[in-house]
Amino acid sequence: MKQYLLGIYQPDGPIPEPSVLEPIMTNLASWNDELREAGSWVFSAGLHPPESSTVLRASGDEVLVTDGPFTEGKEHLGGFTVIQVEDLDEALLWARKLTRILEPLSVEVRPFT
Amino acid sequence: MQSGSISVAEVAGVFRAEHGRAVAVLARVFGDLEIAEDAVQEAFAAAVEKWPAAGLPPSPAGWIITTARNRAIDRLRRESSREDKHAQAALLHAQGEPVEEGVVRDDRLRLIFTCCHPALALNVRVALTLRLLGGLTTTEIARAFLVPEPTMAQRLVRAKAKIRTAGIPYRVPYEADLPERVRGVLAVVYLIFNEGYAASSGDELIRSELCLEAIRLGRLLVELMPDEPEAVGLLALMLLQESRRPARVGPDGSLVLLAQQDRSLWDRALVLEGQDLVRRCLRRDAPGPYQLQAAINAVHSDAPSTSTTAWDQIVQLYDQLLTFTPTPVVALNRAVAVAEVDGPEAALALVDELDLGNYYLFHAIRADLLKRLDRKAAARAAYAAAIPLTTNTAERTFLTHQQSTL
């Protein structure tokens, strides 16, 4: 079994209206249930917007602390799910369902070492 | 063939023919492409040493596979004693796995689907297919695709690393993904063919070899997926296009269009085989883009000249093709057929609606239609628009010549 990170990338800015968000959240919940039933769910989490993040970098004796996300951009990681499956094809199968729910957001699938 | 001497060139022939099978079997046994490929490479190196003196063994493929397996196990034993986890895993995978040639059908199919996995970039899929299934060297692939050899070598190494680290499975995809994935596999093979077919600046020899390699892979796909009419369609399409190769280029190296080709130069054997395949796959009544393109080519190959070609049938086939691939390029090709049925005026009206201003054939076809309508100034302007849009010397010479005859 291999573990994969399914990272969800979303545009920065205000959260969509509840009328838009609600059906998505319902579908997401059932996707999560399905994952659990299949025994493939490991961990999932949503993240606060990128403005909430802080970046640190050590240089010599000092550690530089800066406000904001690691990279400037219009889209950032908004949340993720860790799954445990047989291979990439199975991971892509789950990711495919997820993108259908989250259309038009992108999902990045990345293996754990 | 059993005894007597065999030249190094003949060993190379066996190499080309058996590489895909051997890598496929070894990949199943060891669960790792890198190990499989290296071992097969070593086995062929051993064959080059032994066979010229000892003669061809009764089963060259069996000899290669057994030798490769033994070499790989030796190597893995050495490495696993150094606590290489990957080697240990591969060795474990290999234990109790008898080497069988019997199931290679599925093994090669799995290898094709692995090489053509959508998680790999398209140019990587093409290179990997040529390398692992076709047995082409990195040098040959690099030359054919006009990239420096180190670049191609790096691409292949990275691809194999991704297959391992990302966990791209070595198997035929799930039922639900199959049609989509088959299309991808066919597209890779046709891309290889086109890379060889489109006369361009590369090494001529390697380029025509690419067509033959694509046809060989096409035959393999038909053998492996006999129930896939689009695979048959693709093979037919490639055979019919290849049949015209001797007539496509004039004695001075210039381009000869279909209408002007000396049809007696067409390779009859390829034409007949292609036509037979077209009939066979269309009978299944599950048409797809490759079968339809093959059918269009079959209609051309049926006629002794342009004037006796069943253009109305070609227009109908293009209509059907447009339902599968509604692209402006298909519409442009359809317009060429319409010109033969309804005249250049009707065709020009269709062409003018297309948004293909950056495509040299759009301007070249417009120019030809305008010429036939005797609108010389407009035709000259259209040729002038076409010429800078192609980098191919033969095409440029052809267009310049057409323009000068106005």
Side-chain angles (χ1 to χ4, degrees), chain A residues 87-103:
Chain A
D87 54 40
L88 184 68
D89 274 2
E90 211 178 311
L92 294 181
L93 217 58
W94 288 109
R96 192 179 286 256
K97 284 186 191 167
L98 183 60
T99 52
R100 286 268 155 80
I101 295 166
L102 299 172
E103 185 181 349

Side-chain angles (χ1 to χ4, degrees), chain B residues 197-210:
Chain B
Y197 191 73
S200 86
S201 48
D203 184 322
E204 200 56 47
L205 181 77
I206 293 292
R207 301 235 144 199
S208 58
E209 253 188 45
L210 279 182

Side-chain angles (χ1 to χ4, degrees), chain A residues 2 4 87-90 92-93 96 111, chain B residues 117 119 165-169 171 174 180:
Chain A
K2 281 179 78 78
Y4 294 85
D87 54 40
L88 184 68
D89 274 2
E90 211 178 311
L92 294 181
L93 217 58
R96 192 179 286 256
Chain B
H117 198 279
T165 55
I168 290 177
R171 77 157 132 64
Y174 298 114
E180 187 189 316

Side-chain angles (χ1 to χ4, degrees), chain B residues 227-239:
Chain B
D227 296 329
E228 180 51 61
E230 275 292 90
V232 181
L234 173 65
L235 177 59
L237 173 62
M238 294 192 295
L239 291 173

Side-chain angles (χ1 to χ4, degrees), chain B residues 22 59 64 68 79 98 101 118 127 141 143 156 161 166 206 219 234 246 260 286 313 316 319 349 373 375 385:
Chain B
S59 164
I64 290 293
E79 282 174 12
E101 283 175 71
I141 304 169
R143 260 159 74 199
L156 288 165
I206 293 292
R219 288 190 193 283
L234 173 65
Q260 279 83 42
Q313 229 179 317
Q316 280 170 26
D319 285 339
L373 291 165
R375 290 166 59 181

Side-chain angles (χ1 to χ4, degrees), chain B residues 312-387:
Chain B
D312 51 338
Q313 229 179 317
I314 292 182
V315 173
Q316 280 170 26
L317 287 166
Y318 271 120
D319 285 339
Q320 245 186 309
L321 184 58
L322 269 173
T323 63
F324 288 101
T325 38
T327 67
V329 172
V330 175
L332 182 68
N333 289 325
R334 180 183 175 274
V336 174
V338 168
E340 303 299 328
V341 178
D342 300 328
E345 186 99 56
L348 188 62
L350 294 173
V351 170
D352 280 338
E353 272 176 33
L354 302 172
D355 182 21
L356 282 172
N358 292 323
Y359 185 41
Y360 88 95
L361 267 180
F362 166 79
H363 296 287
I365 287 167
R366 269 197 84 232
D368 182 60
L369 294 170
L370 288 163
K371 190 165 104 179
R372 284 155 79 175
L373 291 165
D374 213 28
R375 290 166 59 181
K376 285 183 183 167
R380 250 194 299 274
Y383 278 122
I387 292 163

